[in-house]
Amino acid sequence: MAALRNAAASNAQILAALTPPPNVVVVGGTAGIGRAIALSIGKYSPSANITIIGRNQSAADSVLATLGSRSKFLAADASLMSEIRNVTKKIDAVDILVLTQGILTMNGRTPTKEDIDTKLALHFYGRMLFVQELLPLLRQSPSGGKVLFVLDSVNGNPSKVNWDDMALEKTYSLMGAAMHATTFTDVMIQYFASKRENENITFTHAYPGAVRTTIADSLPFYLRIPAKAVMALGVGTAPEDCAEYMVHGLFETKKGFRYVDNKGEPVTKAKQIDSDMINKVSEHTSQIISC
Ligand SMILES: NC(=O)c1ccc[n+]([C@@H]2O[C@H](COP(=O)([O-])OP(=O)(O)OC[C@H]3O[C@@H](n4cnc5c(N)ncnc54)[C@H](OP(=O)(O)O)[C@@H]3O)[C@@H](O)[C@H]2O)c1
C-alpha cells in the first residue's frame, strides 16, 4: 500500500503544479481503467480540460457529472480509422493523451468495414492513428506532450510475431493478435520517440495487470460468470488504484519512451527490438492506418 500512497501523492503534487492546467484526452474514458484515469486526473487537477472518447453516451454522462463543466465527451467508434480522423479534428489542444480503448473477445478475426480486425484496430492500429493525428498538438504542449498506452508492456516478444502476415489476415489467432498488438506497441513507441520533432513528447507503454473492470462483460456466459466470480472475491486491482499507478508511470517517463508495469515502475525484461523491426512495423502501420 505504500507504493499506492506514494504514487497517488506524487500524482497529486505533479498535477496540482501543472500550469496551465493540462488538456487531457482519454480514449476509452467511459469505462474501466480509462474512466478511472480521467477521474484521477480530474481529482488532482480540477481545472484540467478532460475529453473522454468512446461510444457509450450514458456511461460518459456519469463520468462528466463527476469531472464537471470543463470536461466533454466525443463519441466515436475507435475501431474505425475514418471515425478517428473525424474525431481528432474536433480536438484543438492536448498535453496528455491516454489510450485505453479495448475489448475482450474469444472471436476469431472480425473485420471492420475497413477490413481491419476489430481487436487489432482497437488495441493497436487505431491507437497509432490517434497519436499520428494528435502529434502536432502534443508537440505544442508547454509542459511537454505525454502519451500513455495501457495494454501490455511486459509480454510482447518480436520472436513470436508473424512478420510475413503482420495484420494477421491469413494466420489470425487470439494469441497472435495479442502478441502483435503488444509487440508492435513496444516497437512504435521507440519509433515515435526517435523522431527529432517529437523530442518534447514522452511515450509510455504500461501493463495494468488484472484489473476489476467490466471488460469481461462481453465474454460468453461460461467465461463471464467465472471471471465475475473471481473479481467479486477481490482478485485483481481496483480501477482507481490501477489509475494511480498508470498516471505515476506516465509522469515518471521524463524523456523519450518507457515501458512500465502494473505499479507504474520500469519493466526490467530487455526488449529485443532493432532498427529493422522499427522500420518494418512503422511502414506496415502507416499503410494500414491510411485506409
Ligand atoms: N482489465 C484488465 O484486467 C486488463 C488487463 C490487461 C490489459 N488490459 C487492457 O487495458 C485496456 C482497458 O481495459 P479495461 O479493463 O479498462 O476495459 P473496459 O472496462 O472494458 O473499458 C474499455 C473502454 O474501451 C472503450 N471501447 C471499446 N470498444 C470501443 C470502440 N469500438 N470505440 C470506442 N471505444 C471503445 C469502451 O468505451 P465505450 O463502451 O463507450 O465504447 C471503454 O471505455 C484494454 O486495452 C485491455 O485490453 C486490461
Side-chain angles (χ1 to χ4, degrees), residues 207-282:
Y207 174 60
V211 186
R212 299 194 295 271
T213 67
T214 50
I215 196 159
D217 285 7
S218 55
L219 288 174
F221 76 94
Y222 53 88
L223 294 172
R224 185 176 67 244
I225 291 168
K228 290 282 196 196
V230 168
M231 284 190 221
L233 291 172
V235 175
T237 309
E240 298 71 27
D241 296 347
C242 171
E244 297 294 353
Y245 292 127
M246 298 294 98
V247 174
H248 175 62
L250 167 77
F251 281 123
E252 285 305 306
T253 306
K254 303 294 183 196
K255 199 169 170 29
F257 65 91
R258 207 163 69 109
Y259 306 100
V260 302
D261 63 15
N262 59 337
K263 296 283 188 286
E265 297 299 331
V267 171
T268 47
K269 196 162 80 179
K271 304 271 179 194
Q272 308 297 334
I273 293 170
D274 60 34
S275 57
D276 278 355
M277 287 174 200
I278 296 177
N279 290 339
K280 211 165 176 187
V281 176
S282 60

Side-chain angles (χ1 to χ4, degrees), residues 29 49 62 65 159 172 236 267 273:
N49 303 300
S62 92
S159 72
Y172 192 91
V267 171
I273 293 170

Side-chain angles (χ1 to χ4, degrees), residues 11-290:
N11 295 342
Q13 190 182 30
I14 291 169
L15 278 158
L18 275 186
T19 45
N23 298 291
V24 183
V25 175
V26 185
V27 190
T30 53
I33 300 166
R35 175 183 185 275
I37 289 174
L39 292 175
S40 167
I41 293 176
K43 180 172 67 177
Y44 300 133
S45 180
S47 302
N49 303 300
I50 303 178
T51 300
I52 57 171
I53 298 179
R55 295 162 304 171
N56 187 329
Q57 179 74 55
S58 62
D61 288 344
S62 92
V63 182
L64 297 188
T66 308
L67 286 177
S69 61
R70 301 184 76 93
S71 61
K72 69 176 173 200
F73 171 58
L74 295 175
D77 182 341
S79 69
L80 293 173
M81 305 305 124
S82 51
E83 291 216 10
I84 295 171
R85 269 190 207 93
N86 284 338
V87 78
T88 48
K89 286 194 183 81
K90 298 176 187 164
I91 296 168
D92 54 17
V94 54
D95 303 294
I96 299 174
L97 171 62
V98 179
L99 299 145
T100 67
Q101 66 269 44
I103 48 170
L104 190 56
T105 169
M106 294 297 128
N107 297 338
R109 185 172 189 271
T110 307
T112 64
K113 64 183 183 192
E114 295 170 342
D115 199 25
I116 303 174
D117 169 62
T118 305
K119 193 172 191 180
L120 284 172
L122 283 168
H123 290 203
F124 177 66
Y125 296 110
R127 291 172 176 219
M128 298 304 142
L129 184 56
F130 269 104
V131 175
Q132 178 183 285
E133 297 299 284
L134 295 174
L135 271 174
L137 297 175
L138 286 156
R139 289 182 190 127
Q140 291 168 25
S141 170
S143 49
K146 293 171 182 52
V147 182
L148 172 65
F149 298 89
V150 178
L151 190 63
D152 181 353
S153 52
V154 172
N155 294 301
N157 183 345
S159 72
K160 294 190 176 161
V161 162
N162 183 347
W163 294 101
D164 297 324
D165 183 19
M166 293 174 73
L168 296 174
E169 284 160 346
K170 301 184 201 83
T171 55
Y172 192 91
S173 69
L174 289 173
M175 290 284 282
M179 185 52 68
H180 279 216
T182 56
T183 308
F184 291 177
T185 303
D186 285 347
V187 173
M188 284 301 285
I189 66 170
Q190 294 203 19
Y191 169 74
F192 286 128
S194 72
K195 299 283 166 201
R196 205 169 156 203
E197 59 271 28
N198 296 337
E199 64 188 7
N200 185 39
I201 308 174
T202 63
F203 300 88
T204 306
H205 182 192
Y207 174 60
V211 186
R212 299 194 295 271
T213 67
T214 50
I215 196 159
D217 285 7
S218 55
L219 288 174
F221 76 94
Y222 53 88
L223 294 172
R224 185 176 67 244
I225 291 168
K228 290 282 196 196
V230 168
M231 284 190 221
L233 291 172
V235 175
T237 309
E240 298 71 27
D241 296 347
C242 171
E244 297 294 353
Y245 292 127
M246 298 294 98
V247 174
H248 175 62
L250 167 77
F251 281 123
E252 285 305 306
T253 306
K254 303 294 183 196
K255 199 169 170 29
F257 65 91
R258 207 163 69 109
Y259 306 100
V260 302
D261 63 15
N262 59 337
K263 296 283 188 286
E265 297 299 331
V267 171
T268 47
K269 196 162 80 179
K271 304 271 179 194
Q272 308 297 334
I273 293 170
D274 60 34
S275 57
D276 278 355
M277 287 174 200
I278 296 177
N279 290 339
K280 211 165 176 187
V281 176
S282 60
E283 279 164 23
H284 165 76
T285 305
S286 166
Q287 186 217 322
I288 298 276
I289 67 180
S290 61

